[in-house]
Amino acid sequence: MPLDPKYVHTEIMKKTKPEFRIKDYEDPLLWQMKSRDKLKFLLGLPLLSCDMNYREEYTSDENPGFTEKRFIFTSEPGVDVCCHALFPKNGKNIKPVMICLQGHSTGMHNSLGRPKYPEDEEFIKGRDGDYAVQAVKRGFIAIAMEQRGFGERGADDDGRSDCQLQSMQALMIGRTMIGERCWDVSRLIDVIMEKFPEADSEKICIMGQSGGGTTSIYASACDERIYACLSSCALSGFKESIGSIRHCVCNYVPDIIKYFDMADIAGLIAPRAFVSVSGEKDNIFPFYSAKEQAGIISKIYEKWGKPDKFKFVSAPEGHRFYGGISWDAFESIADL
């Protein structure tokens, strides 16, 4: 018998079937209601709400294409969230919103196309990492939100994230990092709806790559106010991705595999628009597993009678954001 416990863990995962996988006879709405409640419980939600204490730090008109506003709000007692909002200077008076989430990069400054560290230049230009700039050029009010553990919210002096320690602390107190990040997204939506009259509150969208794509899926599953979701290089079966290789602890949720696989969570987004992009050479979230999960998601959208509101997109390279094909797919189904 092998001494390494990962072998028995792997065998258990292989035999485990998600208890909350939708059955052929189940009504999709009733399934979503019970599944969403269970998912929030596993994530440690809700957290304690409080006054948002919204404050603007500065407004800038230096860029000819957009006005920029830096703001901070309080998402739970003792926890502040920093954001940059980019408002297009042309187009309709009321505009859709895109919440932009970086993953394990050096922080949200990449979304704004502003390198701080040596590796940022390649990330921004070579891997399409400036999501917020891309979004505002397409007519969105783009809001770059710094996720817990990244950039200004936990990185060290070299820009490396400290979400490992923060995630372990969260687990020790009955929380999860994913749940905390989802909570911040929901509180940001509260801010948008109360403080930004130029925002179309019916069309608040979310996007992200890798860890940002993961939060985008979970947040969209939990908060039905999110109109549409664009997730890049985050979809894969749990046992094939975070259950098979070393990942950051921020990806893990206790007991999750007993009840859900990633497809089941993504199915809670239906019938809202959802685009998932996967790199064919992604060695973190394997493409073959992403394709299998996409098949499960497609069946859920079919049960809703909205098969055209989900799109799985294959990209030719590895683990990165693919600007052109991602936006084209999203705009083709999001009805903005």
Side-chain angles (χ1 to χ4, degrees):
M1 297 293 289
L3 298 176
D4 190 336
K6 72 171 175 281
Y7 295 105
V8 70
H9 294 165
T10 299
E11 287 304 309
I12 292 171
M13 286 191 292
K14 287 180 180 178
K15 296 174 183 177
T16 301
K17 305 297 182 184
E19 290 184 20
F20 278 66
R21 175 68 46 82
I22 191 169
K23 310 296 191 301
D24 290 341
Y25 60 81
E26 281 190 285
D27 176 89
L29 178 59
L30 296 178
W31 169 78
Q32 281 193 344
M33 291 172 64
K34 72 170 186 177
S35 298
R36 187 172 289 114
D37 286 346
K38 184 64 176 182
L39 178 62
K40 288 181 179 179
F41 174 79
L42 294 173
L43 293 176
L45 296 175
L47 303 182
L48 184 62
S49 189
C50 64
D51 186 279
M52 68 179 62
N53 191 24
Y54 173 84
R55 58 264 196 209
E56 296 178 7
E57 294 197 324
Y58 66 77
T59 299
S60 171
D61 275 312
E62 291 183 6
N63 192 290
F66 58 81
T67 298
E68 179 177 355
K69 185 178 294 183
R70 158 93 180 193
F71 65 94
I72 293 178
F73 68 93
T74 302
S75 68
E76 61 167 314
V79 177
D80 282 347
V81 183
C82 51
C83 304
H84 287 252
L86 311 181
F87 298 84
K89 289 182 177 178
N90 50 36
K92 297 180 291 185
N93 291 331
I94 304 298
K95 300 175 177 65
V97 178
M98 180 62 78
I99 297 171
C100 304
L101 304 178
Q102 285 289 341
H104 286 78
S105 67
T106 54
M108 69 172 173
H109 56 272
N110 289 296
S111 293
L112 305 170
R114 296 170 189 162
K116 286 186 179 181
Y117 304 95
E119 64 268 31
D120 291 348
E121 195 75 42
E122 167 59 23
F123 182 83
I124 292 168
K125 293 183 177 180
R127 299 170 64 188
D128 292 343
D130 55 347
Y131 323 141
V133 175
Q134 295 172 39
V136 75
K137 287 180 178 178
R138 291 176 177 268
F140 290 93
I141 296 173
I143 301 180
M145 186 193 87
E146 195 81 277
Q147 293 207 82
R148 300 193 192 205
F150 301 150
E152 297 179 53
R153 302 186 68 198
D156 62 20
D157 292 340
D158 295 324
R160 293 172 297 187
S161 78
D162 194 26
C163 57
Q164 183 85 6
L165 173 59
Q166 295 172 346
S167 299
M168 295 303 291
Q169 290 174 326
L171 294 175
M172 290 174 71
I173 60 175
R175 297 182 175 204
T176 64
M177 180 60 79
I178 293 177
E180 291 181 339
R181 289 172 177 169
C182 289
W183 181 260
D184 290 347
V185 169
S186 290
R187 294 293 285 147
L188 174 56
I189 293 173
D190 293 339
V191 169
I192 293 167
M193 298 180 76
E194 182 173 322
K195 299 295 183 180
F196 295 165
E198 56 272 84
D200 186 344
S201 61
E202 297 297 318
K203 293 187 177 180
I204 298 174
C205 308
I206 193 167
M207 67 174 294
Q209 154 72 14
S210 191
T214 298
T215 302
S216 296
I217 291 174
Y218 275 91
S220 299
C222 291
D223 196 327
E224 296 177 90
R225 296 176 298 174
I226 294 175
Y227 175 74
C229 175
L230 168 57
S231 175
S232 174
C233 293
L235 180 67
S236 194
F238 287 137
K239 65 178 180 292
E240 292 83 10
S241 55
I242 63 174
S244 64
I245 64 174
R246 183 183 178 91
H247 272 258
C248 179
V249 179
C250 68
N251 287 286
Y252 296 85
V253 177
D255 284 345
I256 191 72
I257 206 166
K258 293 181 183 178
Y259 303 101
F260 303 102
D261 209 340
M262 199 62 170
D264 307 303
I265 296 168
L268 298 178
I269 303 172
R272 293 165 287 155
F274 174 41
V275 170
S276 179
V277 182
S278 291
E280 295 175 2
K281 299 177 183 178
D282 193 335
N283 60 359
I284 301 176
F285 296 96
F287 181 78
Y288 77 90
S289 179
K291 193 173 182 179
E292 291 173 354
Q293 296 291 300
I296 298 170
I297 298 168
S298 293
K299 291 179 180 179
I300 297 173
Y301 273 81
E302 289 170 4
K303 286 183 74 71
W304 277 97
K306 297 287 185 179
D308 57 330
K309 285 297 183 180
F310 170 63
K311 183 169 286 191
F312 176 69
V313 180
S314 63
E317 299 176 25
H319 193 74
R320 52 158 290 185
F321 185 67
Y322 300 86
I325 59 176
S326 298
W327 287 111
D328 289 346
F330 184 75
E331 292 174 345
S332 72
I333 67 170
D335 191 25
L336 294 166

